[in-house]
Amino acid sequence: MTTDTVPVRQDDHDPPSPAPTPRRFWAVRRIPAAILAVVLLGGAGLLLYDVAAVRADHTAMAWRSTLADDLATWHLDDVWVLAGAALAVALGLWLLVLAATPGLRAVLPMRREHTDVRAGLDRKAAGLALRDRAVEVSGVQSVQVRMGRSKVKVRAVSHFRELDVVRADLEGVLGGGIEELGLAHPPALTVRVARPPRKG
C-alpha cells in the first residue's frame, strides 16, 4: 500500500499581512504651484532678458535701474523695506504650511482591507448618509449634521416622544451608521435634541 504526500507550501499557512495604517490624503495643490511657477518664471525671464540686453550694450530697463538705486539708498528700518520683508516672510510661511500639511480636509480616509487599495469618503456625503438615518427615527422632525474629521455634531428637533428616548435612539442609530461608514478613525458622536420653537 502506497501513500502519496502532497507538498504544502509554507506560505499557505502564514497569516495575512496586516493592512497598513490609513493616512490622510494629500492635496495636489495645482493652483498654488501653478501661480508660484508662473510668477517665478516671469520674473526670471524678465531679469534674464534685461541682463542680456545690458551685456549687448543696451541700457537697462528703468525698473531695474530704479530698484538698484533704491536698494542702495533705502535703510533697513524703512517702512517699505519692512513691509516687503513681512510679505516675503508671510509668503514663505504659507508655502511651508502647504508643503507640510496634507490638505484635503473634506476627504475622510477609510479602513484598508487590502494593502493595495486606498479609499476615502467625502465628509458631506457621510453627513448626508447619517442625516438620512436620523430622520427615520420616530419623533424626529428635522436634523442638522455637522461632520468633522474627529467629531460629529447632530442637532435634532423632536415634536413628540420624550427627548431622552429620542436622543438614545439617535445615538444608537447614528453610532451604527458611523461604524458602517468604514472610516479609519471613527469620529466621536454628540447628539442634542430639542423641541421645536413655539409659534407666536
Side-chain angles (χ1 to χ4, degrees), residues 87-116:
L87 180 62
V89 170
L91 181 60
L93 290 176
W94 179 60
L95 293 175
L96 287 176
V97 169
L98 290 181
T101 54
L104 288 182
R105 298 176 60 87
V107 180
L108 301 173
M110 302 178 68
R111 289 192 296 266
R112 299 186 67 174
E113 303 295 339
H114 305 282
T115 57
D116 55 346

PDB file of all heavy atoms in Angstrom, residues 87-116:
ATOM      1  N   LEU A  87       5.996  90.703   3.875  1.00  0.00           N
ATOM      2  CA  LEU A  87       5.274  89.987   2.817  1.00  0.00           C
ATOM      3  C   LEU A  87       6.036  88.739   2.375  1.00  0.00           C
ATOM      4  O   LEU A  87       5.434  87.675   2.167  1.00  0.00           O
ATOM      5  CB  LEU A  87       5.055  90.918   1.629  1.00  0.00           C
ATOM      6  CG  LEU A  87       4.308  90.324   0.425  1.00  0.00           C
ATOM      7  CD1 LEU A  87       2.906  89.907   0.835  1.00  0.00           C
ATOM      8  CD2 LEU A  87       4.257  91.331  -0.715  1.00  0.00           C
ATOM      9  N   ALA A  88       7.351  88.854   2.252  1.00  0.00           N
ATOM     10  CA  ALA A  88       8.152  87.690   1.853  1.00  0.00           C
ATOM     11  C   ALA A  88       8.104  86.593   2.919  1.00  0.00           C
ATOM     12  O   ALA A  88       8.003  85.406   2.596  1.00  0.00           O
ATOM     13  CB  ALA A  88       9.588  88.128   1.598  1.00  0.00           C
ATOM     14  N   VAL A  89       8.149  86.994   4.201  1.00  0.00           N
ATOM     15  CA  VAL A  89       8.069  86.001   5.287  1.00  0.00           C
ATOM     16  C   VAL A  89       6.705  85.320   5.294  1.00  0.00           C
ATOM     17  O   VAL A  89       6.608  84.095   5.448  1.00  0.00           O
ATOM     18  CB  VAL A  89       8.358  86.680   6.635  1.00  0.00           C
ATOM     19  CG1 VAL A  89       8.031  85.741   7.789  1.00  0.00           C
ATOM     20  CG2 VAL A  89       9.814  87.108   6.714  1.00  0.00           C
ATOM     21  N   ALA A  90       5.641  86.104   5.108  1.00  0.00           N
ATOM     22  CA  ALA A  90       4.299  85.525   5.091  1.00  0.00           C
ATOM     23  C   ALA A  90       4.127  84.551   3.932  1.00  0.00           C
ATOM     24  O   ALA A  90       3.554  83.466   4.084  1.00  0.00           O
ATOM     25  CB  ALA A  90       3.254  86.631   5.022  1.00  0.00           C
ATOM     26  N   LEU A  91       4.648  84.930   2.763  1.00  0.00           N
ATOM     27  CA  LEU A  91       4.564  84.041   1.608  1.00  0.00           C
ATOM     28  C   LEU A  91       5.362  82.761   1.835  1.00  0.00           C
ATOM     29  O   LEU A  91       4.908  81.660   1.501  1.00  0.00           O
ATOM     30  CB  LEU A  91       5.070  84.767   0.362  1.00  0.00           C
ATOM     31  CG  LEU A  91       5.033  83.976  -0.949  1.00  0.00           C
ATOM     32  CD1 LEU A  91       3.615  83.566  -1.287  1.00  0.00           C
ATOM     33  CD2 LEU A  91       5.651  84.776  -2.086  1.00  0.00           C
ATOM     34  N   GLY A  92       6.547  82.906   2.420  1.00  0.00           N
ATOM     35  CA  GLY A  92       7.355  81.714   2.711  1.00  0.00           C
ATOM     36  C   GLY A  92       6.696  80.790   3.711  1.00  0.00           C
ATOM     37  O   GLY A  92       6.700  79.567   3.547  1.00  0.00           O
ATOM     38  N   LEU A  93       6.097  81.364   4.772  1.00  0.00           N
ATOM     39  CA  LEU A  93       5.401  80.533   5.757  1.00  0.00           C
ATOM     40  C   LEU A  93       4.198  79.838   5.130  1.00  0.00           C
ATOM     41  O   LEU A  93       3.928  78.671   5.428  1.00  0.00           O
ATOM     42  CB  LEU A  93       4.955  81.397   6.939  1.00  0.00           C
ATOM     43  CG  LEU A  93       6.067  81.918   7.852  1.00  0.00           C
ATOM     44  CD1 LEU A  93       5.491  82.828   8.927  1.00  0.00           C
ATOM     45  CD2 LEU A  93       6.828  80.757   8.495  1.00  0.00           C
ATOM     46  N   TRP A  94       3.490  80.552   4.247  1.00  0.00           N
ATOM     47  CA  TRP A  94       2.344  79.945   3.582  1.00  0.00           C
ATOM     48  C   TRP A  94       2.773  78.757   2.730  1.00  0.00           C
ATOM     49  O   TRP A  94       2.135  77.710   2.744  1.00  0.00           O
ATOM     50  CB  TRP A  94       1.636  80.997   2.730  1.00  0.00           C
ATOM     51  CG  TRP A  94       0.456  80.480   1.968  1.00  0.00           C
ATOM     52  CD1 TRP A  94      -0.676  79.916   2.482  1.00  0.00           C
ATOM     53  CD2 TRP A  94       0.310  80.461   0.544  1.00  0.00           C
ATOM     54  NE1 TRP A  94      -1.529  79.554   1.462  1.00  0.00           N
ATOM     55  CE2 TRP A  94      -0.960  79.873   0.259  1.00  0.00           C
ATOM     56  CE3 TRP A  94       1.099  80.895  -0.520  1.00  0.00           C
ATOM     57  CZ2 TRP A  94      -1.420  79.712  -1.033  1.00  0.00           C
ATOM     58  CZ3 TRP A  94       0.625  80.731  -1.815  1.00  0.00           C
ATOM     59  CH2 TRP A  94      -0.610  80.155  -2.062  1.00  0.00           C
ATOM     60  N   LEU A  95       3.878  78.910   2.009  1.00  0.00           N
ATOM     61  CA  LEU A  95       4.368  77.810   1.184  1.00  0.00           C
ATOM     62  C   LEU A  95       4.847  76.638   2.044  1.00  0.00           C
ATOM     63  O   LEU A  95       4.648  75.475   1.688  1.00  0.00           O
ATOM     64  CB  LEU A  95       5.494  78.307   0.281  1.00  0.00           C
ATOM     65  CG  LEU A  95       5.092  79.318  -0.797  1.00  0.00           C
ATOM     66  CD1 LEU A  95       6.320  79.815  -1.542  1.00  0.00           C
ATOM     67  CD2 LEU A  95       4.087  78.703  -1.763  1.00  0.00           C
ATOM     68  N   LEU A  96       5.467  76.935   3.195  1.00  0.00           N
ATOM     69  CA  LEU A  96       5.897  75.861   4.089  1.00  0.00           C
ATOM     70  C   LEU A  96       4.703  75.107   4.659  1.00  0.00           C
ATOM     71  O   LEU A  96       4.729  73.870   4.778  1.00  0.00           O
ATOM     72  CB  LEU A  96       6.757  76.436   5.219  1.00  0.00           C
ATOM     73  CG  LEU A  96       8.167  76.886   4.842  1.00  0.00           C
ATOM     74  CD1 LEU A  96       8.853  77.521   6.033  1.00  0.00           C
ATOM     75  CD2 LEU A  96       8.989  75.708   4.322  1.00  0.00           C
ATOM     76  N   VAL A  97       3.660  75.831   5.023  1.00  0.00           N
ATOM     77  CA  VAL A  97       2.452  75.176   5.543  1.00  0.00           C
ATOM     78  C   VAL A  97       1.821  74.287   4.474  1.00  0.00           C
ATOM     79  O   VAL A  97       1.411  73.150   4.744  1.00  0.00           O
ATOM     80  CB  VAL A  97       1.449  76.234   6.051  1.00  0.00           C
ATOM     81  CG1 VAL A  97       0.096  75.607   6.335  1.00  0.00           C
ATOM     82  CG2 VAL A  97       1.975  76.900   7.304  1.00  0.00           C
ATOM     83  N   LEU A  98       1.761  74.786   3.248  1.00  0.00           N
ATOM     84  CA  LEU A  98       1.217  73.977   2.163  1.00  0.00           C
ATOM     85  C   LEU A  98       2.048  72.725   1.916  1.00  0.00           C
ATOM     86  O   LEU A  98       1.518  71.666   1.581  1.00  0.00           O
ATOM     87  CB  LEU A  98       1.124  74.810   0.880  1.00  0.00           C
ATOM     88  CG  LEU A  98       0.073  75.917   0.841  1.00  0.00           C
ATOM     89  CD1 LEU A  98       0.116  76.623  -0.500  1.00  0.00           C
ATOM     90  CD2 LEU A  98      -1.322  75.370   1.103  1.00  0.00           C
ATOM     91  N   ALA A  99       3.367  72.861   2.064  1.00  0.00           N
ATOM     92  CA  ALA A  99       4.240  71.712   1.809  1.00  0.00           C
ATOM     93  C   ALA A  99       4.194  70.683   2.935  1.00  0.00           C
ATOM     94  O   ALA A  99       4.416  69.495   2.703  1.00  0.00           O
ATOM     95  CB  ALA A  99       5.680  72.194   1.604  1.00  0.00           C
ATOM     96  N   ALA A 100       3.907  71.131   4.169  1.00  0.00           N
ATOM     97  CA  ALA A 100       3.989  70.232   5.321  1.00  0.00           C
ATOM     98  C   ALA A 100       2.651  69.655   5.741  1.00  0.00           C
ATOM     99  O   ALA A 100       2.612  68.731   6.559  1.00  0.00           O
ATOM    100  CB  ALA A 100       4.614  70.971   6.513  1.00  0.00           C
ATOM    101  N   THR A 101       1.547  70.164   5.230  1.00  0.00           N
ATOM    102  CA  THR A 101       0.230  69.680   5.625  1.00  0.00           C
ATOM    103  C   THR A 101      -0.416  68.922   4.468  1.00  0.00           C
ATOM    104  O   THR A 101      -0.234  69.275   3.304  1.00  0.00           O
ATOM    105  CB  THR A 101      -0.678  70.842   6.043  1.00  0.00           C
ATOM    106  OG1 THR A 101      -0.727  71.816   4.986  1.00  0.00           O
ATOM    107  CG2 THR A 101      -0.145  71.511   7.300  1.00  0.00           C
ATOM    108  N   PRO A 102      -1.198  67.892   4.778  1.00  0.00           N
ATOM    109  CA  PRO A 102      -1.775  67.074   3.703  1.00  0.00           C
ATOM    110  C   PRO A 102      -2.912  67.746   2.964  1.00  0.00           C
ATOM    111  O   PRO A 102      -3.114  67.495   1.773  1.00  0.00           O
ATOM    112  CB  PRO A 102      -2.269  65.823   4.436  1.00  0.00           C
ATOM    113  CG  PRO A 102      -2.474  66.268   5.848  1.00  0.00           C
ATOM    114  CD  PRO A 102      -1.445  67.330   6.106  1.00  0.00           C
ATOM    115  N   GLY A 103      -3.686  68.585   3.636  1.00  0.00           N
ATOM    116  CA  GLY A 103      -4.835  69.174   2.967  1.00  0.00           C
ATOM    117  C   GLY A 103      -5.938  68.162   2.765  1.00  0.00           C
ATOM    118  O   GLY A 103      -6.002  67.120   3.439  1.00  0.00           O
ATOM    119  N   LEU A 104      -6.826  68.419   1.801  1.00  0.00           N
ATOM    120  CA  LEU A 104      -7.967  67.551   1.518  1.00  0.00           C
ATOM    121  C   LEU A 104      -8.719  67.201   2.804  1.00  0.00           C
ATOM    122  O   LEU A 104      -8.976  66.034   3.107  1.00  0.00           O
ATOM    123  CB  LEU A 104      -7.521  66.269   0.803  1.00  0.00           C
ATOM    124  CG  LEU A 104      -7.074  66.423  -0.646  1.00  0.00           C
ATOM    125  CD1 LEU A 104      -6.711  65.072  -1.230  1.00  0.00           C
ATOM    126  CD2 LEU A 104      -8.171  67.053  -1.483  1.00  0.00           C
ATOM    127  N   ARG A 105      -9.088  68.229   3.543  1.00  0.00           N
ATOM    128  CA  ARG A 105      -9.802  68.009   4.798  1.00  0.00           C
ATOM    129  C   ARG A 105     -11.203  67.451   4.563  1.00  0.00           C
ATOM    130  O   ARG A 105     -11.824  66.924   5.488  1.00  0.00           O
ATOM    131  CB  ARG A 105      -9.890  69.322   5.568  1.00  0.00           C
ATOM    132  CG  ARG A 105      -8.542  69.900   5.966  1.00  0.00           C
ATOM    133  CD  ARG A 105      -8.707  71.257   6.636  1.00  0.00           C
ATOM    134  NE  ARG A 105      -9.508  71.177   7.831  1.00  0.00           N
ATOM    135  CZ  ARG A 105      -9.036  70.894   9.043  1.00  0.00           C
ATOM    136  NH1 ARG A 105      -7.746  70.635   9.191  1.00  0.00           N
ATOM    137  NH2 ARG A 105      -9.822  70.835  10.082  1.00  0.00           N
ATOM    138  N   ALA A 106     -11.708  67.585   3.351  1.00  0.00           N
ATOM    139  CA  ALA A 106     -13.062  67.100   3.063  1.00  0.00           C
ATOM    140  C   ALA A 106     -13.111  65.606   2.797  1.00  0.00           C
ATOM    141  O   ALA A 106     -14.195  65.046   2.672  1.00  0.00           O
ATOM    142  CB  ALA A 106     -13.652  67.857   1.872  1.00  0.00           C
ATOM    143  N   VAL A 107     -11.959  64.939   2.718  1.00  0.00           N
ATOM    144  CA  VAL A 107     -11.915  63.504   2.435  1.00  0.00           C
ATOM    145  C   VAL A 107     -11.491  62.760   3.695  1.00  0.00           C
ATOM    146  O   VAL A 107     -10.410  63.013   4.236  1.00  0.00           O
ATOM    147  CB  VAL A 107     -10.951  63.190   1.275  1.00  0.00           C
ATOM    148  CG1 VAL A 107     -10.914  61.694   1.005  1.00  0.00           C
ATOM    149  CG2 VAL A 107     -11.366  63.947   0.030  1.00  0.00           C
ATOM    150  N   LEU A 108     -12.336  61.856   4.151  1.00  0.00           N
ATOM    151  CA  LEU A 108     -12.044  61.059   5.338  1.00  0.00           C
ATOM    152  C   LEU A 108     -11.491  59.702   4.904  1.00  0.00           C
ATOM    153  O   LEU A 108     -12.131  59.000   4.104  1.00  0.00           O
ATOM    154  CB  LEU A 108     -13.317  60.854   6.166  1.00  0.00           C
ATOM    155  CG  LEU A 108     -14.011  62.126   6.661  1.00  0.00           C
ATOM    156  CD1 LEU A 108     -15.342  61.774   7.319  1.00  0.00           C
ATOM    157  CD2 LEU A 108     -13.126  62.887   7.620  1.00  0.00           C
ATOM    158  N   PRO A 109     -10.306  59.320   5.390  1.00  0.00           N
ATOM    159  CA  PRO A 109      -9.751  58.012   4.997  1.00  0.00           C
ATOM    160  C   PRO A 109     -10.563  56.866   5.581  1.00  0.00           C
ATOM    161  O   PRO A 109     -11.023  56.924   6.722  1.00  0.00           O
ATOM    162  CB  PRO A 109      -8.327  58.049   5.563  1.00  0.00           C
ATOM    163  CG  PRO A 109      -8.384  59.045   6.678  1.00  0.00           C
ATOM    164  CD  PRO A 109      -9.414  60.054   6.295  1.00  0.00           C
ATOM    165  N   MET A 110     -10.725  55.821   4.790  1.00  0.00           N
ATOM    166  CA  MET A 110     -11.469  54.644   5.221  1.00  0.00           C
ATOM    167  C   MET A 110     -10.517  53.518   5.588  1.00  0.00           C
ATOM    168  O   MET A 110      -9.328  53.573   5.286  1.00  0.00           O
ATOM    169  CB  MET A 110     -12.420  54.197   4.097  1.00  0.00           C
ATOM    170  CG  MET A 110     -13.412  55.265   3.663  1.00  0.00           C
ATOM    171  SD  MET A 110     -14.480  54.744   2.305  1.00  0.00           S
ATOM    172  CE  MET A 110     -15.468  53.497   3.136  1.00  0.00           C
ATOM    173  N   ARG A 111     -11.060  52.534   6.285  1.00  0.00           N
ATOM    174  CA  ARG A 111     -10.225  51.396   6.680  1.00  0.00           C
ATOM    175  C   ARG A 111      -9.700  50.665   5.453  1.00  0.00           C
ATOM    176  O   ARG A 111     -10.401  50.530   4.452  1.00  0.00           O
ATOM    177  CB  ARG A 111     -11.038  50.427   7.546  1.00  0.00           C
ATOM    178  CG  ARG A 111     -11.348  50.938   8.938  1.00  0.00           C
ATOM    179  CD  ARG A 111     -11.874  49.815   9.808  1.00  0.00           C
ATOM    180  NE  ARG A 111     -13.145  49.306   9.302  1.00  0.00           N
ATOM    181  CZ  ARG A 111     -14.341  49.725   9.718  1.00  0.00           C
ATOM    182  NH1 ARG A 111     -14.421  50.672  10.637  1.00  0.00           N
ATOM    183  NH2 ARG A 111     -15.440  49.205   9.223  1.00  0.00           N
ATOM    184  N   ARG A 112      -8.466  50.205   5.556  1.00  0.00           N
ATOM    185  CA  ARG A 112      -7.825  49.493   4.440  1.00  0.00           C
ATOM    186  C   ARG A 112      -7.907  47.997   4.690  1.00  0.00           C
ATOM    187  O   ARG A 112      -7.224  47.453   5.555  1.00  0.00           O
ATOM    188  CB  ARG A 112      -6.379  49.942   4.274  1.00  0.00           C
ATOM    189  CG  ARG A 112      -6.236  51.420   3.954  1.00  0.00           C
ATOM    190  CD  ARG A 112      -4.796  51.803   3.663  1.00  0.00           C
ATOM    191  NE  ARG A 112      -4.328  51.187   2.421  1.00  0.00           N
ATOM    192  CZ  ARG A 112      -3.145  51.458   1.873  1.00  0.00           C
ATOM    193  NH1 ARG A 112      -2.328  52.323   2.456  1.00  0.00           N
ATOM    194  NH2 ARG A 112      -2.779  50.887   0.743  1.00  0.00           N
ATOM    195  N   GLU A 113      -8.756  47.355   3.906  1.00  0.00           N
ATOM    196  CA  GLU A 113      -8.864  45.898   3.994  1.00  0.00           C
ATOM    197  C   GLU A 113      -7.776  45.210   3.170  1.00  0.00           C
ATOM    198  O   GLU A 113      -7.398  44.086   3.464  1.00  0.00           O
ATOM    199  CB  GLU A 113     -10.249  45.463   3.506  1.00  0.00           C
ATOM    200  CG  GLU A 113     -11.411  46.103   4.267  1.00  0.00           C
ATOM    201  CD  GLU A 113     -11.460  45.678   5.725  1.00  0.00           C
ATOM    202  OE1 GLU A 113     -10.874  44.622   6.055  1.00  0.00           O
ATOM    203  OE2 GLU A 113     -12.072  46.414   6.532  1.00  0.00           O
ATOM    204  N   HIS A 114      -7.303  45.890   2.131  1.00  0.00           N
ATOM    205  CA  HIS A 114      -6.249  45.352   1.269  1.00  0.00           C
ATOM    206  C   HIS A 114      -5.112  46.367   1.197  1.00  0.00           C
ATOM    207  O   HIS A 114      -5.346  47.576   1.202  1.00  0.00           O
ATOM    208  CB  HIS A 114      -6.793  45.044  -0.131  1.00  0.00           C
ATOM    209  CG  HIS A 114      -7.980  44.126  -0.117  1.00  0.00           C
ATOM    210  ND1 HIS A 114      -7.865  42.768   0.049  1.00  0.00           N
ATOM    211  CD2 HIS A 114      -9.310  44.384  -0.224  1.00  0.00           C
ATOM    212  CE1 HIS A 114      -9.068  42.222   0.028  1.00  0.00           C
ATOM    213  NE2 HIS A 114      -9.966  43.185  -0.140  1.00  0.00           N
ATOM    214  N   THR A 115      -3.907  45.867   1.092  1.00  0.00           N
ATOM    215  CA  THR A 115      -2.739  46.740   1.118  1.00  0.00           C
ATOM    216  C   THR A 115      -2.637  47.628  -0.110  1.00  0.00           C
ATOM    217  O   THR A 115      -2.055  48.703  -0.056  1.00  0.00           O
ATOM    218  CB  THR A 115      -1.455  45.902   1.239  1.00  0.00           C
ATOM    219  OG1 THR A 115      -1.396  44.968   0.148  1.00  0.00           O
ATOM    220  CG2 THR A 115      -1.439  45.150   2.561  1.00  0.00           C
ATOM    221  N   ASP A 116      -3.211  47.188  -1.231  1.00  0.00           N
ATOM    222  CA  ASP A 116      -3.054  47.938  -2.474  1.00  0.00           C
ATOM    223  C   ASP A 116      -4.281  48.779  -2.825  1.00  0.00           C
ATOM    224  O   ASP A 116      -4.397  49.261  -3.949  1.00  0.00           O
ATOM    225  CB  ASP A 116      -2.747  46.985  -3.634  1.00  0.00           C
ATOM    226  CG  ASP A 116      -3.800  45.892  -3.764  1.00  0.00           C
ATOM    227  OD1 ASP A 116      -4.595  45.730  -2.820  1.00  0.00           O
ATOM    228  OD2 ASP A 116      -3.821  45.210  -4.802  1.00  0.00           O
TER     229      ASP A 116
END
